[in-house]
């Protein structure tokens, strides 16, 4: 990924755009065909120095100006006079960005697919692995690890569909010329636009979008939503990997410079760091989208480093999550042990609902809550407290209470939900989506 | 809009959810039908005090807990025991939020349609109103005001399609019970879920999404992209309304507390303020989307005020933009005057392209640039400088130079682009999208 | 706090500014003394409707314009002609904001002091309460709960000093008139400025700061840093309150709408939600600080709701943290139990350092790491594995190993650091800072 | 600046910290003096490969771990066993960051001083250069360009004082060992801490601050406030440089890839782009400051790239602003022309205040407002409309009206304020602040 969004990759993409432009204009008879051919071949072979362009971009205001200037050394003879014909810097930069985005999204979706596959695998394998469900970081009621993984899968799958839409219809040509009118091409502007989009495999937009940055925002926010989904996975892994919880661990934990025993959940940690980086770029791009008139003074220029960082952090988040899930060690014993830890209190809703069917929800909620508090205070078993309560025991026999305290008896639709999530995933895969 | 997202509106929506839940559970035989009927009718008529609930929500951790508690005063007899049957607080709050969102989006899209209509009208009326195109806040080359308005239209139209998708398939039921397994409903959880979604007119999701906040982010970012589009309109209006530019003015400008002559572009200013507010909520929601386990500890709770503010600022931005565009005063004389101000320098690309066809782009760029600089230094007309240059006058006759300096002669595809944008808009309208 | 930053509170503050202005101008002979007296007394008694002003502010562009207009109904006779003499709307709004800030900061620092006192108390009481120190959410090495609390204390104490600086010298008069020149007051502008600052108890700035928002940012970021400090406390409490950790609990936990046994750490959760709200306002204010010319078009207007929210969320964060710490239940048994849970692995650095003194750090790090891994794999005690290693046992006797595994033996400077932190706090308190 | 915050610079700083640690520990007798000497000299000469460390940091979780590992190749003999003695990775990274910050701040303050000097020079030279003051981007009332520059100066000067405080007391040693207790150093932890701070020229904090990130936030927000101040300058320059305003231009404007005549205000544009970059990093760092327990899992790791970007963008903003102001071309003729453009309407407050002294402010505001509107509608001169109004002409003679319409007559305290701002600046310079 670092290569795909490096300065060299941007430069190469921009040269491809200039080459395609010449090719199309030659084909349409707007510039001499031999000049077009000469430009196209020499640009694709050109080896310009990204650092020099970077330095000169500071005084020029953008990197296209020095790049075009340098091409006089690369394109032979009179052909150089037909380079950049009818284009403006932003046409080249924005279209180049779309080519960079295409390549970056290919890499990102590959890792996204790996994340989804690994999550689906965990969902299936642990469909019935009972564990504690936790709300507000407190034990709440039983669930299965499969349902947790199915939640990860579904969030990633839904976020992925947005990325696919962008890959299929959101990567658009930018081509408008100096003021967005294509005036330098006379009557032929829209012909060039149509052919150039086709040549580059990009969508032709209704209008040039020099200062209409919805496309950039759609891309950025789709990545924001995707990485938020894996950030949640990393957060869950991190919390489950705590020594006191110990329900999962990363296969290959990181060490410590001073603590010999440490197995740090470094993948989860790095995913979380990357997600923060993505968030920052999304916020920057959204704030930068208020762009003046026909070309922005600051907002557009702020996009360049942000877009590269956006891809870099997104790829980091997806790649690290994929590895983390593929190597995840799941400790079912600890899942069970944690479930039983509170003496069955995690089953209190189950007990309450049985009672509620007979004495109403409010009273049942109250009585079971009192028994739970009593168990904490007395140190006695929750089951014992339930049985000791005369109002409860008038409704539920000891056997019924014991049955109600069995975690596996209170999973509701957990397994059906896992199946639903996995089926939705498999259908998408079958459809080649 | 203030009403649609007030605390009272949230409360009413949550009561509607509880009422619908009881109704569905009664129909499915999970609770007594007469209790269901009693709950449904008394909840829809209930008048609870949002402020009291707000106060009690602080110690409870969310407003559903005190709301459910208060219902014991509202629901008669034993029926109260069947309120909230099988649900968790977040089911009620998130689903209630979706109902709030539905109403808010209806209001927002109404104003969005008005913005689009006003922009389309300006695009058509000013299709050929020649004006200066500006890049980096400098005069660049001619365009038409119609094309500028077509750009506004297209950005809003494209952003609107995202909102429509959400209205049609993005507003989903939340229903998972305490740990997302619907365990309290035994085998019947998915039946209730399906029927409840139908009852409320919401989409039934594959899984409960208590800690998968992609839906919330899709909504927030769609509004972020929509309001960024109108923020750009407001910025353009603000800049064109400067006294020194004076190409447009708001029909009803704001006054000043001390300056008698002031006609402030207050609508544009307020739109820009609202857009900043939207951006802040989007960033907050994105950061808050990393949610722990089965229910978040902080991230979810941070959403509540942010969602209300998101709608409030979005509605403010759209409503003010609609009014601003509908009343916009356009000053064509000033557009022409500004175009001529630089002695024709704004036409320099046109002159260059004519020259470039004969002597190549680099040389032509250089010569025309020198003539432009000479005009600034000498104070002479740009046309005179062009004619005085021997290399230029060897290629272009004085009449050709004069023709090249005519702004209306250098609009390229501007009008064709306006037509394209307006046609795309009209087709969408015809399709009732 | 809700009252301190309500619309009514803003309005009252702005009326106080207008009253003080009249008073000062009367004293300086710029307006008739009887008019000044009449204005001052009627403004302080005025009961204007904040909602009406809010509505009219939309078309006016700011609330000062309708407020001044309404004063004609409140100020009797000719005196009304001298209201707002020489001021501009922003003078009144910004200065009013400073008065709102002063009151809000008083409330916030009161809660901040309570947080510091509670943290200091915990630091002292638990100076030697040994517990696990955790890095990357993994058990690392022993520390004391007192040192953790001392860390909370120190962060809050240092952040508080910034707030104090602002209370003492950062709340400044805004007074510049229409264009920041005080031209409407002729030669007397600076006299009025000086006296008005004195009258209101605010700092007189070197220049009006209509579009120099450093003061607003200093205030916002100081609150951002302060609330980040308590956000960290809330996060630690939340993590320690997990059932599987159970080292602390909130005295008065929140319930659940469906789970009878739940004792949710609602204070911690709400603090974390508030901190996100603060962060969003800080980011908005920083982005909004790029303000045009002599009065901003959007950036300033975006500040108003953000400032109120900033105070509201900050006060929420501080108040809830104070209550949380004051009622915190500390479970020393669980601290000890968690420390011993890994069979002494949390002591591995201590063992390594003893070894390192004899065989060098790299070799010692390697050997102890292997023993730790062996213990995990074999299920044997860490101490047994250490003793079983020939290279280790060649250097350390069994008794030395046992001693090295005693958590209390490896606290280093923990207690000295607690003392340092508490002393620094007590000295500040003694100095009345 | 790029060099000062490059990966190599971070690495060099971290090696300096390890070297200083060895030196101090040798001096205190904690490690053999000859080992200390050997470590110190070999580390300062070490040439490690930042790219390799970067790659290995991914699986290790931080760059210190591979760095320390590589030192075994660099440090001869047994000395390597005493490298990193008693430290944890974060001690080295955070302290190294402080050394990076110190160097970066030196460069940034150099440019900040240049900005202040250039602004002060403009303030002095244009103390009385009358120009239009603008509010909400509308002409409001006269001011002087000197006062505008004095505003720039004052904002930068005040922001600079925060940076100075950090340079003087905000760059602190991080030294706590694995869990912040310095346990690996037994009783001598605080001795090492004190001496290490002295050795590196850093402040010794009361406590280690591994998860108390107030220092990082203070640094980041100070740079945020500083760059917001120059962002405002850039925005003003950009707006004044519009062709239709033309009051200033950048000495060396940027060209265009297609428009020969373009002189783009590229410095202003780049400053604005940099400021957005700074804002994004500040927001990220503030969100990342909620750090868990004794070492964060994600928040700390997110800081590393953000800090480098923060310095890079800050340096870019300051450096480009300095150059922009030093080369700024000021066009006094255009300032005068713009002032007169509205036929004197910019003087309406002056006319109103003269009238107000006789007939009260509200009536005067109304009459002058009507005359202004009449002038716009009739196309007649504002002065003529004023004189034609019977109520006005009953109070003011034609000569008085003419005098009131003279812009230079209505500057109020503008020049006195310039003097105040320049004096404050000069006093600070004289005190060597």
């Amino acid at each position: 990924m670092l290569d795909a969004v490096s300065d060299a990759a941007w430069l190469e993409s921009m040269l491809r755009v200039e080459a395609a432009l010449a090719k199309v204009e030659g084909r349409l008879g707007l510039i001499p065909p031999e000049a077009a051919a000469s430009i196209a071949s020499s640009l694709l072979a050109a080896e310009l120095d990204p650092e020099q362009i970077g330095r000169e971009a500071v005084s020029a205001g953008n990197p296209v100006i020095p790049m075009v200037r340098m091409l006089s050394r690369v394109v032979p003879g009179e052909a150089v006079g037909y380079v950049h014909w009818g284009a403006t810097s932003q046409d080249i930069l924005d279209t180049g960005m779309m080519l960079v985005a295409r390549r970056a999204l290919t890499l990102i979706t590959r890792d996204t697919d790996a994340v989804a596959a690994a999550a689906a695998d965990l969902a299936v394998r642990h469909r019935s692995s009972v564990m504690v469900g936790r709300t507000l970081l407190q034990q709440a009621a039983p669930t299965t690890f499969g349902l947790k993984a199915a939640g990860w899968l579904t969030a990633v799958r839904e976020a992925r569909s947005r990325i696919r839409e962008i890959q299929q219809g959101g990567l658009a040509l930018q081509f408008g010329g100096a003021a967005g009118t294509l005036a330098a091409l006379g009557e032929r502007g829209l012909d060039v636009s149509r052919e150039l989009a086709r040549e580059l495999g990009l969508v032709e937009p209704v209008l040039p979008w020099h200062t209409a940055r919805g496309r950039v925002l759609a891309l950025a926010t789709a990545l924001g939503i995707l990485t938020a989904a894996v950030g949640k996975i990393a957060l869950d892994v991190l919390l489950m990997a705590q020594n006191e919880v110990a329900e999962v661990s990363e296969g290959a934990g990181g060490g410590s410079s001073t603590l010999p025993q440490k197995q740090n959940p470094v993948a989860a940690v790095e995913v979380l760091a990357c997600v923060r980086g993505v968030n920052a770029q999304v916020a920057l791009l959204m704030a930068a989208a208020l762009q003046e008139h026909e070309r922005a003074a600051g907002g557009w220029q702020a996009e360049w480093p942000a877009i590269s960082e956006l891809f870099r952090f997104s790829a980091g988040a997806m790649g690290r999550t994929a590895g983390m899930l593929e190597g995840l060690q799941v400790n079912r014993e600890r899942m069970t042990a944690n479930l039983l830890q509170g003496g069955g209190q995690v089953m209190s809703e189950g007990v309450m609902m049985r009672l509620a069917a007979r004495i109403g929800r409010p009273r049942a909620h109250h009585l079971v809550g009192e028994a739970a508090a009593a168990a904490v205070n007395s140190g006695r078993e929750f089951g014992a407290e339930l049985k000791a309560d005369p109002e409860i025991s008038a409704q539920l026999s000891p056997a019924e209470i014991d049955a109600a305290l069995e975690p596996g008896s209170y999973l509701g639709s957990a397994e059906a939900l896992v199946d639903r999530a996995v089926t939705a995933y498999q259908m998408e895969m079958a459809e080649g989506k």
Side-chain angles (χ1 to χ4, degrees), chain A:
Chain A
M1 173 52 65
L2 290 175
D3 290 347
V5 298
S6 66
D7 289 350
W10 277 81
L11 181 54
E12 191 218 312
S13 293
M14 294 194 290
L15 289 171
R16 279 186 58 201
V17 178
E18 296 277 11
L21 176 64
K23 212 166 139 189
V24 163
E25 290 176 336
R27 202 190 301 152
L28 292 172
L30 288 163
I31 65 171
E34 53 283 6
S38 168
I39 292 169
S41 64
S42 51
L43 257 54
L44 296 176
E47 293 192 0
L48 306 183
D49 177 6
E51 286 197 22
Q52 189 189 348
I53 289 179
R55 277 192 304 276
E56 296 187 17
V58 174
S59 60
N62 75 56
V64 178
I65 295 172
M67 183 188 85
V68 169
R69 204 158 45 212
M70 278 182 208
L71 291 178
S72 62
R73 296 186 225 138
V74 169
V75 179
E78 300 203 342
V80 76
Y82 297 101
V83 167
H84 198 66
W85 191 263
T88 192
S89 293
Q90 190 169 8
D91 292 338
I92 307 306
L93 239 162
D94 278 355
T95 306
M97 177 178 82
M98 286 285 143
L99 299 183
V100 167
R102 182 161 60 193
R103 195 169 154 208
L105 289 181
T106 300
L107 299 173
I108 287 168
T109 50
R110 191 180 306 163
D111 284 334
T112 304
D113 289 344
V115 170
D121 183 57
L122 289 169
V124 170
R125 282 199 285 131
H126 294 281
R127 180 175 178 274
S128 308
S129 301
V130 188
M131 72 177 294
V132 177
R134 297 173 176 97
T135 58
L136 285 74
L137 262 65
Q138 293 291 303
Q139 295 195 348
T143 184
T144 74
F145 182 52
L147 181 54
K148 189 184 279 273
W152 299 344
L153 168 64
T154 301
V156 169
R157 190 178 54 74
E158 292 178 353
R160 188 176 56 171
S161 71
R162 254 171 265 278
I163 303 288
R164 285 228 186 80
E165 279 173 36
I166 289 170
Q167 288 179 303
Q168 285 158 11
L171 298 174
L173 177 74
Q174 177 67 282
F175 194 60
T181 63
L182 291 167
L185 297 171
E187 305 289 304
R188 307 298 301 280
L190 297 182
D191 294 338
V192 175
S193 178
R194 186 187 61 245
E195 292 303 309
L196 185 54
R198 191 174 301 169
E199 179 74 24
L200 291 166
L202 296 171
V203 169
E204 191 198 359
V206 172
L207 294 188
W209 45 280
H210 292 134
T211 48
R213 310 307 281 177
R215 265 174 196 82
V216 177
L217 295 185
L219 173 61
T221 55
L223 287 169
I225 296 174
L226 177 66
T227 54
V230 297
K232 187 263 188 293
I233 301 177
L235 184 53
D236 281 357
V237 167
L238 187 69
L239 291 168
M240 288 191 288
Q242 294 173 97
N243 302 84
E244 296 85 358
V245 179
E247 294 172 342
V248 302
S249 63
E250 292 190 8
S256 154
S257 70
T258 185
L259 298 169
Q261 91 283 11
K262 268 303 219 46
Q263 293 296 323
N264 283 320
V266 289
V269 165
E270 285 168 11
V271 171
L272 289 166
C274 285
V275 172
R276 292 179 184 283
V278 171
N279 284 354
Q281 312 312 318
V282 173
L284 184 157
L285 290 167
M286 197 154 274
L290 297 187
Q291 303 204 344
E292 299 91 352
H293 292 317
E294 279 62 62
R295 176 125 47 269
W300 174 50
Q301 294 79 6
E303 288 180 6
W304 311 330
I307 292 279
S308 288
E309 292 295 295
L310 173 72
F311 287 131
R312 219 171 267 145
F313 286 125
S314 296
M318 301 315 296
R320 291 295 268 162
T321 303
M324 177 181 77
L325 288 190
E326 286 163 358
L328 199 71
Q329 308 289 316
V330 180
N331 189 330
R332 292 192 52 178
E333 290 72 37
R334 282 302 297 259
M335 287 179 176
T336 305
N338 289 335
L339 202 49
L340 301 176
Q341 172 195 353
Q345 294 222 13
V346 77
M347 291 304 300
S348 62
E349 192 194 42
V351 178
M352 176 194 66
M353 287 307 287
R354 291 195 189 213
L355 263 184
R358 303 180 194 183
I359 60 171
R361 223 183 134 281
R363 185 69 192 154
H365 192 278
H366 175 74
L367 291 176
V368 178
E370 287 212 324
V376 170
N377 292 332
S378 67
R380 290 208 296 166
E381 287 288 302
F382 179 46
E385 292 290 351
L386 289 168
K387 293 170 193 167
D389 183 286
E391 202 172 342
I392 295 174
S393 56
Q395 304 293 339
L396 300 177
S397 70
E400 282 177 307
I401 289 175
D402 288 340
L405 290 175
E406 176 56 40
S409 73
Y410 197 67
L411 290 175
S413 306
E415 289 152 321
L417 287 166
V418 172
D419 297 343
R420 224 149 97 152
V422 171
T423 301
Y425 166 70
Q426 287 169 337
M427 282 176 57
E428 262 191 27
M429 295 304 288
E431 291 167 14
K433 268 189 202 161

